[in-house]
Amino acid sequence: MTTRTESVDTPAGEARITWHPATGRAARLVLALGHGAGGGIEARDLRALAAALPGEGVTVALVEQPWRVAGKKVAAAPKVLDEGWRALWPALRAPGLPVVAGGRSAGARVACRTAGELDAAGVLALAFPLHPPGRPEKSRAEELLGAGPPTLVVQGGRDPFGHPGEFPPPGPHTPYQLVAVPHGDHGFAVPKRADTTQEEALEVITGAVAGWLGRLPARGAI
């Protein structure tokens, strides 16, 4: 697979997009994925999606926020992350395709907070940090439920930032889908003693995302 890296100036500094173009068929949408506060685009779930989805007609754009490009160890404030993401949107839309906003952890929060105003075709929230570990009363459910476009949450079964059973039940007033990854932690790592292998856990993620993307209604195209 041929990848391409693009630098984009934002109010928060230089950001970077690594493009993984659709292969084998015409691209039908772009999936933009931001990273978390504790790591970059090398996260196992982001890598797995970038490898699996181009063959399904999905161009994957892995987005590095300015703080990460600058080599800083601490993530920027949420407002700054949102500013950087908004500034990247014209580059993400440049291929002329609908864009699904996504990310893992802090990147998922950014996608949820900005999806409506950016007219995203959907929101993919990987390892959404529903609350700080051990602080379920500090819920961030409103960010998720207020995203607007069709939303898919993929959550590890033992994620300390919120396991699947802690999320509000999907329904008419909470229209999102939730997929649980058995035994997965916040990084979707599974213990060696689990009855699910690491490869199987990643297949749950890629299969669920591919299926959901295939069912999305067309919107957000230029």
Side-chain angles (χ1 to χ4, degrees), residues 8-16 33-40 63-70 72-89 92 101-115 117-118 129 140 143:
V8 180
D9 289 329
T10 81
E14 179 186 327
R16 190 159 53 213
L33 294 171
H35 54 77
V63 175
E64 293 176 87
Q65 283 272 3
W67 70 269
R68 184 78 180 180
V69 174
K72 297 179 181 178
K73 302 297 184 183
V74 179
K79 180 179 179 181
V80 177
L81 296 178
D82 292 355
E83 288 176 348
W85 188 256
R86 292 187 188 98
L88 284 157
W89 205 251
L92 295 168
R104 63 165 288 100
S105 195
R109 295 182 65 192
V110 173
C112 288
R113 289 193 298 259
T114 60
E117 66 184 273
L118 295 174
R140 299 171 181 137
E143 285 184 357

Side-chain angles (χ1 to χ4, degrees), residues 111-206:
C112 288
R113 289 193 298 259
T114 60
E117 66 184 273
L118 295 174
D119 195 29
V123 176
L124 173 60
L126 302 162
F128 185 83
L130 185 64
H131 58 71
R135 301 293 301 277
E137 73 280 4
K138 300 288 186 180
S139 177
R140 299 171 181 137
E142 288 187 5
E143 285 184 357
L144 174 67
L145 301 179
T151 300
L152 175 67
V153 179
V154 181
Q155 203 74 7
R158 58 186 184 94
D159 191 332
F161 289 83
H163 60 75
E166 294 182 272
F167 281 72
H173 301 293
T174 54
Y176 72 98
Q177 298 178 48
L178 177 64
V179 171
V181 179
H183 309 291
D185 65 8
H186 194 57
F188 296 114
V190 298
K192 291 183 178 180
R193 65 181 181 278
D195 56 7
T196 299
T197 67
Q198 189 65 67
E199 182 179 358
E200 288 170 341
L202 293 175
E203 288 174 352
V204 169
I205 297 169
T206 57

Side-chain angles (χ1 to χ4, degrees), residues 35-55:
H35 54 77
I41 60 172
E42 70 278 3
R44 59 170 58 84
D45 49 339
L46 303 186
R47 291 200 316 267
L49 290 169
L53 294 180

